[in-house]
Amino acid sequence: MRASASGRRSIGAVCALLLALAVLCACQRWSSASDSGDSAPSAGATPTRPSGYGAVFLGVDECSSFGTTSFTEVPCTSERAAARVIARYDGKVADGPSCPATTDFVLHISQTAPASDEDGDGAVPQGYACMRKLEPPHPGDPGGGGGPRTIVGDCVYSAGSSQVRETACDGTGRKPPEYRVTSAVTARSKCPASTALYVQLGGSKPVGCARPV
């Protein structure tokens, strides 16, 4: 029996409605799976440790908290951050390269002391970090009166037994300055005639030529 035109329109409307419901249910099932976390995460969603802070214990450009014997690694934006690593070496200071000239102080890193390290197991290789304070004053600057190295522009005073110690050139140190290192040369014979004191500097030009202040 042939269906009338109105009957065909009714059947078509019912089919369209069923198709819409099927699509809606499929969409709802997909959304539910995504919301529950059952779907596989994308490659970019894999958690990673932040680069810089925490990747290597006190690597170059990372920061430490206050203290030279008890310290931790902290983000450089933290209120606890005191100094930044400008060079980092493995081994002992006596056996390794010298820190940069304007280093303010050196942190000696034991093999097991710090709790934050590359592996999170509390053990890091023995080494040392050359530190530069985030804010002045900088004792490693020329004339600053401190730092692990004596450099051109620094002042010293006689400490007896043919030894000298560094002090601030502006007189704010515990001892007043007596001599200022004016140049660095490879041998004493290359110091100017006005030199009154030779100071051991190290590096490629190990002799400091100093004159009275």
Side-chain angles (χ1 to χ4, degrees):
M1 180 177 65
R2 299 180 59 183
S4 64
S6 60
R8 288 195 297 270
R9 286 194 296 270
S10 298
I11 293 172
V14 171
C15 291
L17 178 59
L18 292 175
L19 179 60
L21 288 173
V23 171
L24 179 60
C25 290
C27 291
Q28 289 175 337
R29 286 195 298 271
W30 177 261
S31 298
S32 298
S34 299
D35 294 342
S36 65
D38 293 338
S39 60
S42 64
T46 303
T48 57
R49 300 184 71 176
S51 60
Y53 167 63
V56 175
F57 184 75
L58 286 182
V60 174
D61 286 334
E62 294 177 346
C63 292
S64 74
S65 62
F66 295 90
T68 57
T69 57
S70 177
F71 55 88
T72 57
E73 180 184 317
V74 296
C76 291
T77 54
S78 169
E79 293 181 353
R80 298 176 57 208
R84 186 185 303 272
V85 181
I86 58 176
R88 173 75 153 82
Y89 304 108
D90 292 333
K92 299 179 180 180
V93 174
D95 301 330
S98 298
C99 283
T102 56
T103 298
D104 286 331
F105 62 93
V106 177
L107 290 181
H108 299 269
I109 302 168
S110 69
Q111 289 184 310
T112 57
S116 300
D117 68 337
E118 299 92 332
D119 306 318
D121 60 2
V124 295
Q126 182 182 28
Y128 56 101
C130 309
M131 309 299 296
R132 177 81 172 171
K133 293 170 61 179
L134 296 181
E135 297 181 358
H138 294 284
D141 283 350
R149 295 182 56 184
T150 302
I151 58 178
V152 173
D154 280 342
C155 291
V156 298
Y157 66 92
S158 176
S161 301
S162 302
Q163 294 187 4
V164 295
R165 297 189 185 279
E166 189 176 334
T167 188
C169 288
D170 62 5
T172 58
R174 289 186 298 175
K175 295 287 187 176
E178 297 177 2
Y179 304 90
R180 183 192 296 269
V181 179
T182 57
S183 60
V185 295
T186 56
R188 291 188 177 190
S189 59
K190 296 187 177 181
C191 282
S194 58
T195 299
L197 182 72
Y198 303 102
V199 181
Q200 183 176 351
L201 304 181
S204 59
K205 295 182 177 180
V207 179
C209 312
R211 294 190 297 181
V213 175

